[in-house]
Amino acid sequence: MKVDKDTFDKIAHLSRLEFTGAEAEQMMEEMTRIISWVEKLRELDTEGVEPLVTMSHEINALREDKTASHLARDKALKNAPKSDGSFFRVPKVIE
Amino acid sequence: MSYPDKYEVVIGLEVHAQLSTESKLFCGDSTAYGAEPNHNISVITLAHPGTLPKLNEKALELAAKMGIACHCEISREMFFDRKNYFYPDLPKGYQITQDRTPICKGGYVPVKLENGEIHHIQLTKIHLEEDAGKSIHTEDAKDSLIDYNRAGMPLIEIVTEPVIHSSAEAARFLYEVRRLVRYLGVSDGNMEEGSFRCDANISLRLKGQKELGCKVEIKNLNSFKNVQRAIDFEIGRQSSMLDNQKEIIQETRNFDPQTGKTSGMRKKETLTDYRYFPDPDLSPVHLSEEWLNTIKADIEHIPWDMERELVEKYGLPEYDAGVICEDRQMTLYFSEVVNHTDNFKAVSNWIMGPVKGYLNDNKREITEFPLSAEKLAGLVRLVDDGGLSFSAASKHLFGPLVLNPEKDVKLLAEELDLIHDHDTLALEQIVSDVLSSHPKEAEQLRNGKKKLVGMFMGELMKRTKGKLNPKEAKELLMKELS
């Protein structure tokens, strides 16, 4: 399957990513290659095979309802591009 | 008006209830309300690379408990899905939810309408999911402020089928769901703190039409009254649009409690495609029969069952049962009091009147009420024994007793000089007893045979062993006859 411009634009938009024309061309090519490679799997007959949800054989990995160590706020905010000591600050998300 | 003659409203609700756990759904951050911004956070909440979520077993229990109480089918095998979207209140870029395998499927909540009819509101599903953070937008600031304390909080989302047909029915459904989560201890149902909120999907269609009309979703309604107002506003807006042949757009709208109006969301983003897929970071969950049985055994009180019991077993009017059963602790208090007295209606009167009044005035819960069940039963007995009237007891004895809850009810009444041998109320009772034990003579007296007064007075003297004020007795006798 070829990833066309519309599909690409939609995915880029949903991911909040912007591309120049050349970058977009290159990305579309790479995505098409990835999809084609994965499409190979379609050749397998999966009739009657339950969809695989996880690679692990573990089930019911649960934790007890207890509080655990938190991240100190100053440390947490340190990695934020912008903060004011209390809040993470992001470009305004409503008009 | 074109509604309700021409159109029928169809409403589906999505209720979010925050589960009563200590820690978040997938990590150990505290769920305490009111912390400073960005205090209840960890590397998992902030989606730092390499971190892994792990499911809180208590949240699983609470969700299953809710499903069992709502007669849902409980999924025996389930997994979690990622709901992908980019928004700053969601650090991972996806919300962990249950799309394909919700923990509870189907089920219903019985809702009593104003006319006494009971509707079973069908549920589509109840699923587990994590909450998002909180964005704060101020007019002046260039930025939006993000607080991640709420990100990752454990929620259940209760989704109804589009089967609700009035705003009153919608509000009543919410009342029932909130009462249920509180009875079960699944959620504190606190609407002011946002731990219980609702989205409403509303559409209109011509009466008799089968297909649903185009729906509008109103987000984050946080009171019963606002749900009702928002729905009523939408009915008005949509019916006038339909009348004027205007097209209703499928959209998400906000409700403004100040103006009572809904308006289109101001979000920049409209294109959505959540691209759900199973979250590989979380193990699938399998629930055994035994596990479900322990959860089932843990369910003690279902509010509507308790309400029915108060009517059927204790003979209370439906209204009384509804008021007492609003709160689980109140229902338990009632059940305790009636262990000490058989006058169930009197207990209900005490609870609905003086007790609730006291709790409201003092902003207290029934669990903080000073009088033990035994003491309240003592009040009921004292009034039953004719020592004093309910109104005198509630006016003059209840207050002092609440201040001295250790005191013996009767002794305190005597200290306050509230009980008299010839208390009018007691005498009234004796007079009416005497009259009803001599119905023929009473009838004759009523018809003017005055000389029978003497016979009745003699009877009264006998019954009170002479301790009575003849003038008062005669007055009461004549009053009873008239």
Side-chain angles (χ1 to χ4, degrees):
Chain A
M1 192 193 104
K2 191 172 162 22
V3 174
D4 59 25
K5 188 79 169 66
D6 282 351
T7 310
F8 177 79
D9 286 345
K10 187 182 157 197
I11 293 166
H13 173 77
L14 289 170
S15 314
R16 303 294 180 276
L17 294 172
E18 281 169 23
F19 296 91
T20 62
E23 283 168 346
E25 283 304 321
Q26 194 195 338
M27 281 299 265
M28 276 190 281
E29 253 171 57
E30 281 176 22
M31 285 165 83
T32 302
R33 261 209 315 280
I34 293 166
I35 299 266
S36 312
W37 185 74
V38 174
E39 264 182 342
K40 189 106 185 99
L41 290 173
R42 282 184 197 263
E43 292 167 19
L44 275 176
D45 179 9
T46 55
E47 188 68 33
V49 178
E50 281 293 306
L52 181 70
V53 173
T54 171
M55 296 297 287
S56 157
H57 292 290
E58 197 174 29
I59 55 158
N60 294 354
L62 304 174
R63 39 173 279 274
E64 220 184 307
D65 179 28
K66 276 190 177 158
T67 53
S69 69
H70 290 50
L71 188 58
R73 182 164 70 182
D74 55 336
K75 264 181 149 174
L77 293 172
K78 218 163 73 182
N79 289 322
K82 199 169 178 189
S83 79
D84 61 12
S86 297
F87 292 97
F88 291 84
R89 282 181 169 261
V90 300
K92 216 167 200 179
V93 283
I94 57 169
E95 278 156 0
Chain B
M1 268 306 275
S2 53
Y3 176 86
D5 297 327
K6 193 169 165 195
Y7 303 113
E8 175 187 50
V9 65
V10 181
I11 304 159
L13 297 177
E14 293 165 17
V15 181
H16 287 96
Q18 188 185 311
L19 299 171
S20 293
T21 58
E22 296 290 314
S23 64
K24 289 185 181 175
L25 188 53
F26 298 112
C27 66
D29 302 0
S30 165
T31 55
Y33 179 79
E36 286 277 296
N38 294 306
H39 263 268
N40 295 336
I41 54 173
S42 61
V43 286
I44 296 178
T45 299
L46 295 182
H48 282 214
T51 56
L52 285 173
K54 200 170 185 187
L55 180 62
N56 184 334
E57 62 180 357
K58 178 86 183 288
L60 194 63
E61 285 170 25
L62 295 175
K65 197 181 248 189
M66 185 66 180
I68 292 168
C70 295
H71 313 276
C72 305
E73 179 199 330
I74 309 296
S75 297
R76 304 298 290 272
E77 295 185 7
M78 70 192 99
F79 54 86
F80 287 87
D81 295 285
R82 292 182 178 181
K83 177 181 179 178
N84 299 281
Y85 63 95
F86 274 103
Y87 205 67
D89 59 14
L90 197 68
K92 291 192 296 296
Y94 57 86
Q95 178 194 27
I96 305 178
T97 180
Q98 293 185 307
D99 180 49
R100 257 162 295 183
T101 56
I103 179 163
C104 314
K105 285 179 249 176
Y108 65 87
V109 173
V111 168
K112 190 163 23 168
L113 303 181
E114 256 169 58
N115 60 12
E117 248 177 72
I118 293 178
H119 276 191
H120 284 180
I121 305 295
Q122 300 299 320
L123 304 181
T124 312
K125 62 169 182 173
I126 301 173
H127 68 255
L128 275 162
E129 66 180 25
E130 58 177 348
D131 208 346
K134 193 168 97 185
S135 326
I136 301 159
H137 319 288
T138 53
E139 285 300 324
D140 46 334
K142 270 212 328 278
D143 303 320
S144 289
L145 313 179
I146 314 288
D147 174 7
Y148 289 118
N149 284 347
R150 219 180 55 191
M153 289 286 206
L155 303 177
I156 45 172
E157 180 175 337
I158 302 146
V159 183
T160 77
E161 292 285 297
V163 290
I164 298 169
H165 295 293
S166 74
S167 61
E169 194 181 3
R172 198 65 202 167
F173 170 80
L174 275 187
Y175 168 82
E176 282 298 356
V177 172
R178 180 168 177 271
R179 183 165 73 152
L180 181 61
V181 294
R182 287 165 57 87
Y183 261 69
L184 296 175
V186 160
S187 166
D188 65 15
N190 192 324
M191 298 178 93
E192 275 165 35
E193 292 176 5
S195 46
F196 192 85
R197 50 192 202 261
C198 168
D199 303 339
N201 291 295
I202 306 159
S203 64
L204 292 190
R205 66 180 169 196
L206 285 171
K207 280 216 160 152
Q209 180 182 304
K210 264 215 132 107
E211 315 83 76
L212 294 169
C214 185
K215 71 171 180 187
V216 161
E217 183 178 19
I218 318 287
K219 282 268 184 204
N220 287 330
L221 297 162
N222 65 353
S223 77
F224 300 140
K225 201 172 140 214
N226 285 344
V227 168
Q228 219 162 335
R229 289 168 73 204
I231 292 170
D232 288 335
F233 179 83
E234 271 304 305
I235 290 171
R237 188 182 73 89
Q238 292 185 27
S239 58
S240 86
M241 283 179 76
L242 290 172
D243 282 345
N244 294 308
Q245 274 89 44
K246 280 190 199 145
E247 193 194 351
I248 292 168
I249 328 158
Q250 181 164 347
E251 62 175 343
T252 304
R253 295 175 73 85
N254 269 328
F255 174 72
D256 180 351
Q258 238 84 59
T259 61
K261 292 179 179 172
T262 67
S263 57
M265 288 273 231
R266 291 188 301 156
K267 259 188 199 169
K268 282 177 185 166
E269 178 53 35
T270 49
L271 175 66
T272 46
D273 177 356
Y274 295 128
R275 296 154 293 157
Y276 289 98
F277 66 87
D279 190 327
D281 287 348
L282 284 155
S283 81
V285 176
H286 292 188
L287 301 180
S288 69
E289 190 72 39
E290 287 155 273
W291 186 86
L292 283 174
N293 284 336
T294 54
I295 303 292
K296 209 177 282 179
D298 198 34
I299 298 178
E300 283 178 289
H301 305 106
I302 305 278
W304 44 83
D305 291 346
M306 298 282 283
E307 204 174 318
R308 202 173 51 234
E309 189 179 304
L310 260 52
V311 173
E312 287 172 4
K313 188 170 158 195
Y314 297 108
L316 293 190
E318 289 197 5
Y319 175 79
D320 293 37
V323 172
I324 292 171
C325 291
E326 272 173 19
D327 178 64
R328 175 170 169 262
Q329 293 299 338
M330 188 69 88
T331 316
L332 295 181
Y333 186 71
F334 173 86
S335 309
E336 237 183 287
V337 181
V338 294
N339 281 334
H340 303 283
T341 168
D342 290 333
N343 193 346
F344 310 134
K345 175 60 183 152
V347 174
S348 161
N349 291 344
W350 274 101
I351 288 181
M352 294 200 307
V355 175
K356 284 206 101 174
Y358 170 85
L359 298 176
N360 283 342
D361 291 348
N362 295 281
K363 300 213 172 358
R364 284 196 179 180
E365 299 289 328
I366 184 70
T367 45
E368 302 164 300
F369 183 55
L371 296 189
S372 66
E374 169 75 65
K375 282 279 141 90
L376 194 75
L379 279 170
V380 171
R381 268 199 306 274
L382 193 62
V383 172
D384 282 352
D385 293 346
L388 76 170
S389 68
F390 170 74
S391 99
S394 61
K395 250 185 243 155
H396 305 299
L397 182 55
F398 179 76
L401 188 62
V402 167
L403 293 176
N404 302 281
E406 300 309 318
K407 283 219 161 164
D408 181 80
V409 178
K410 193 158 182 202
L411 283 179
L412 183 62
E414 281 166 1
E415 272 176 43
L416 294 165
D417 203 21
L418 293 169
I419 298 180
H420 305 283
D421 270 349
H422 304 295
D423 182 83
T424 317
L425 183 95
L427 191 57
E428 235 173 86
Q429 187 60 45
I430 295 169
V431 169
S432 98
D433 284 353
V434 166
L435 284 172
S436 56
S437 54
H438 299 86
K440 222 171 84 192
E441 287 80 0
E443 188 56 32
Q444 288 171 335
L445 182 59
R446 202 170 277 130
N447 290 332
K449 208 168 173 186
K450 285 278 179 328
K451 65 177 181 184
L452 282 171
V453 170
M455 179 227 119
F456 278 106
M457 287 301 286
E459 200 65 23
L460 288 173
M461 293 297 266
K462 239 196 286 176
R463 293 220 184 181
T464 58
K465 300 193 178 75
K467 288 197 265 175
L468 104 160
N469 175 343
K471 188 167 165 275
E472 194 190 356
K474 200 170 167 188
E475 275 170 15
L476 280 172
L477 187 63
M478 300 324 280
K479 202 176 103 193
E480 282 286 318
L481 282 171
S482 61

